[in-house]
Amino acid sequence: MATTATKLRRFLPLFPIFLCLFSLFIIPSHSSLDSFIYGGCSQIKYTPDSPYESNLNSLLTSLVNSATYAAYNKYSVTGSSPQDVVYGLYQCRGDLSMPDCATCVTRAVSQFGGLCPQTCGGALQLQGCFVKYDNSSFIGQEDKTVVMKKCGPSNGFDTDAMNRRDAVLGSLGSAGGLYRVGGAQDIQGVAQCVGDLSMGQCQDCLSEAIKRLKTECGGAVFGDMFLGKCYARYSTSGDHPYAARSGHAVVLRNLQVIFGQSSLI
C-alpha cells in the first residue's frame, strides 16, 4: 500500500511553485465543496525522509481519519527533539454531513504535496473545509489577520438591500455557536470560527470579520472576509457567496501572512 508521503507526491503540479508565495487559482463558478479559496505555506522546509516528515504524514493521516466522524479535530505529534513536533487541525463547514466532511478534508490533505512541498507549515481553505499544520503551536490562538477578501460588484448602494444586508450580518454577530447562518428575503449570510477558539475568541474574530465586510465591501452584491481563524460571507440578489466569479475585486495576501507576516502580493 502506498504511504501517505507517496500519495501526496502524486499531486505535485507540472508547473513550478514560485518561492513560498501565496498561490490563488481561479476556481470554477460552482459551489463544489473542494473548490479552492486560499492556501499558504511557511518558508521553512524540512529534510526529506526526516523524523519531521514522518510525523507530518502521521498527523495528516490522523486528520483524514478523524474527519469521518467529527467536523473538527486537532492533533499534535511529538518527536525525539522539539524540532520534530508538528501541530495540525481541520474544520469542516457546519452544515456538512460526515461523508462530505471526510471527502473535503481528504481532498485538502492531498493538495499539500503540490501547494506546500516539504514545508514545515501549510494552510488550505476549500469551500467545505479548512486544514492547517505547522511546527509551531497555533492551537487555541486567535488570529484576526485578513488572509483573503472578495467583494462583488456594486448594486448601486440600494438602501433597502444594504439595510437588510446589515441586519443579516448583525444577526450573525449576535448569534451563538461557532457556525452561524442567517437570511432576510434575498440576502443570505454565513459565518464560522475554527473549533480551537473559545466562544469569546470566536465572537471577537467574527466581530472583526463582519465589521470589515461592511466597511470594505460597501454596497457589493456579495462579500467574503476570511481571517486567520474565522470568516463571514453574505450574498444578495441571488449572488451566492460560495460561487467564485472572475472580474470582481479580490485582495490577497502573501501566503506567509498565515504564519505571522503581512506583505501583500
Side-chain angles (χ1 to χ4, degrees):
M1 182 178 293
T3 64
T4 302
T6 300
K7 293 177 181 177
L8 293 177
R9 291 191 188 102
R10 291 175 183 168
F11 290 91
L12 287 173
L14 299 178
F15 50 87
I17 298 297
F18 296 98
L19 303 176
C20 287
L21 296 182
F22 190 61
S23 175
L24 179 80
F25 304 94
I26 300 301
I27 60 177
S29 294
H30 59 72
S31 57
S32 173
L33 296 176
D34 61 1
S35 56
F36 185 96
I37 295 180
Y38 71 82
C41 313
S42 67
Q43 290 183 304
I44 302 173
K45 295 203 171 189
Y46 59 78
T47 303
D49 300 318
S50 64
Y52 187 83
E53 181 179 37
S54 177
N55 288 346
L56 175 58
N57 290 337
S58 177
L59 179 133
L60 293 177
T61 299
S62 295
L63 297 182
V64 169
N65 291 339
S66 177
T68 62
Y69 60 84
Y72 158 79
N73 216 335
K74 64 181 187 295
Y75 289 91
S76 63
V77 180
T78 60
S80 57
S81 60
Q83 60 265 32
D84 295 332
V85 180
V86 58
Y87 305 87
L89 59 73
Y90 70 89
Q91 174 69 69
C92 288
R93 207 172 69 208
D95 61 338
L96 297 194
S97 65
M98 286 298 95
D100 284 342
C101 177
T103 297
C104 188
V105 172
T106 299
R107 178 59 177 162
V109 167
S110 75
Q111 293 185 45
F112 276 125
L115 180 68
C116 302
Q118 298 177 7
T119 64
C120 290
L124 180 59
Q125 176 74 60
L126 303 182
Q127 293 287 1
C129 62
F130 173 72
V131 181
K132 180 175 180 178
Y133 70 89
D134 198 10
N135 61 339
S136 297
S137 179
F138 59 91
I139 308 297
Q141 298 177 10
E142 188 175 357
D143 182 359
K144 296 188 289 184
T145 304
V146 177
V147 291
M148 195 281 283
K149 85 170 182 181
K150 178 169 55 193
C151 302
S154 171
N155 67 352
F157 296 94
D158 179 272
T159 301
D160 289 339
M162 288 304 97
N163 285 341
R164 294 197 302 277
R165 189 278 309 267
D166 290 348
V168 170
L169 293 180
S171 70
L172 296 180
S174 61
L178 299 177
Y179 178 70
R180 310 173 184 188
V181 294
Q185 297 181 36
D186 60 337
I187 299 178
Q188 302 296 319
V190 61
Q192 186 167 20
C193 295
V194 179
D196 63 322
L197 296 186
S198 68
M199 286 310 304
Q201 290 173 321
C202 176
Q203 189 62 45
D204 187 43
C205 189
L206 289 181
S207 294
E208 178 68 15
I210 290 169
K211 179 181 74 174
R212 285 182 171 273
L213 263 185
K214 294 170 68 173
T215 59
E216 297 181 30
C217 285
V221 296
F222 69 85
D224 298 337
M225 186 64 63
F226 285 82
L227 308 187
K229 285 287 186 76
C230 72
Y231 66 81
R233 316 174 82 176
Y234 75 88
S235 65
T236 64
S237 303
D239 288 284
H240 203 286
Y242 293 154
R245 297 168 177 81
S246 59
H248 296 154
V250 179
V251 176
L252 304 173
R253 290 185 178 271
N254 186 305
L255 268 187
Q256 300 163 36
V257 76
I258 298 173
F259 300 96
Q261 301 182 32
S262 58
S263 55
L264 292 170
I265 291 181

